[in-house]
Amino acid sequence: MSTPQETPQAGRHRAGQDTAATGNGDGGTPLVKLINVGKRYGAVIALHDINLEVGGGEVTCVLGDNGAGKSTLIKIIAGLHQPSSGVYEVEGTPVHFNSPREALERGIATVYQDLAVVALMPVWRNFFLGNEVGKGAKMDIPAMKKMCKDELLAMGIDLRDVDQPIGTLSGGERQCVAISRAVHFGANVLILDEPTAALGVKQSGVVLKYIIQARERGLGVIFITHNPHHAYPVGDRFLLLNRGASIGYYEKSQVTREELTGLMAGGAELEQLSHELEGAGGAAAEAAHEMEAEVSDLGISHSPTTTESDGR
């Protein structure tokens, strides 16, 4: 099986190898670590030998296109599924979660792309949904409003009114409320499932800002995305997935934005598509020439490499 091509500038950063990044933000034990983790569904291999870690005050970005295995990886870390092989550690201790609730009790919170908010309910009500603060037999609404407002402000979110329906907020603001909620209820590790996928440029920037805020507060963040331009500015490590396998695992000092984009683009796939377009002639051939220029700019080699040479 061929891998995305090695970039001339990358040198030692061959995508066929897992250059396991070590260490973390505080120099201690990683908050979350996966060692050679795999997942099978019958005869289907969804993940194969995945290594990943995230420490406090770090952002680990997991990149890949649709079908790369990102969703399966999320489900394992979040406690929804157990790995079929390998070791999953939380703060140095092997774990076997049977539910997301067990993962949450260990400080691992997942913010999914659809957020699961009730659009017509006010912001504060969504913030405490399922974790309401009581005062006698009733909810302590003033206390919940104040705590919601204070937590949002601590994350740099200054809403005009926490009584407004959460559905009136922008997509970026709703993502940030969900992040703040997870932090408030004790998350040490945040898993963010494609938080910028459905957002425009400005709102994506808002979400990236709050990812940095979470990192600065000492949390470990696992940022799932298919967009290297969103991942690179905030990431400390980058795991690239393709069809359930790792095609690269780098610290930020080991890879440039251009190399990361080139690895994500997939040289073999782009080259094949370029040839198909060129064979169609006309406007398609012109598009093929432009694509070849893009491949050249990204520094993707046209000579395929195979995993067999890497001993995999």
Side-chain angles (χ1 to χ4, degrees), residues 50-235:
I50 300 301
N51 294 285
L52 172 148
E53 67 179 59
V54 58
E58 286 186 348
V59 178
T60 295
C61 300
V62 179
L63 299 102
D65 285 328
N66 293 336
K70 303 192 301 297
S71 294
T72 302
L73 185 64
I74 291 173
K75 290 172 183 175
I76 289 174
I77 301 174
L80 188 62
H81 292 171
Q82 288 194 355
S84 304
S85 59
V87 180
Y88 177 10
E89 294 181 353
V90 175
E91 298 184 69
T93 303
V95 295
H96 300 278
F97 294 136
N98 294 307
S99 70
R101 174 62 65 180
E102 291 185 10
L104 192 58
E105 288 172 356
R106 292 294 301 269
I108 300 167
T110 305
V111 177
Y112 291 101
Q113 188 176 343
D114 59 13
L115 298 181
V117 297
V118 183
L120 296 179
M121 280 187 177
V123 172
W124 70 266
R125 190 72 178 85
N126 274 279
F127 192 93
F128 285 95
L129 197 60
N131 296 280
E132 289 79 5
V133 176
K135 187 176 183 180
K138 299 181 178 180
M139 292 192 299
D140 191 346
I141 294 175
M144 285 192 284
K145 288 183 179 180
K146 184 178 186 304
M147 281 188 277
C148 176
K149 181 77 171 177
D150 290 347
E151 187 61 54
L152 293 175
L153 281 173
M155 288 290 290
I157 309 168
D158 188 9
L159 291 183
R160 296 179 298 278
D161 184 5
V162 294
D163 273 313
Q164 68 188 101
I166 198 168
T168 63
L169 302 182
S170 70
E173 288 172 328
R174 288 197 297 272
Q175 285 281 352
C176 298
V177 170
I179 292 170
S180 298
R181 181 182 189 277
V183 173
H184 177 78
F185 287 105
N188 296 320
V189 177
L190 276 177
I191 307 169
L192 304 179
D193 174 24
E194 298 272 8
T196 62
L199 303 181
V201 175
K202 183 176 180 181
Q203 289 302 317
S204 294
V206 170
V207 173
L208 296 180
K209 171 185 173 183
Y210 296 124
I211 290 175
I212 294 172
Q213 289 268 21
R215 179 177 64 186
E216 290 179 346
R217 292 183 66 169
L219 277 74
V221 180
I222 300 174
F223 177 21
I224 313 293
T225 182
H226 63 270
N227 192 327
H229 298 287
H230 291 169
Y232 197 81
V234 300

Side-chain angles (χ1 to χ4, degrees), residues 250-265:
Y250 311 105
E251 293 186 3
K252 194 165 190 171
S253 61
Q254 295 176 312
V255 65
T256 67
R257 187 199 307 261
E258 291 72 24
E259 290 168 357
L260 193 66
T261 304
L263 290 164
M264 275 290 295

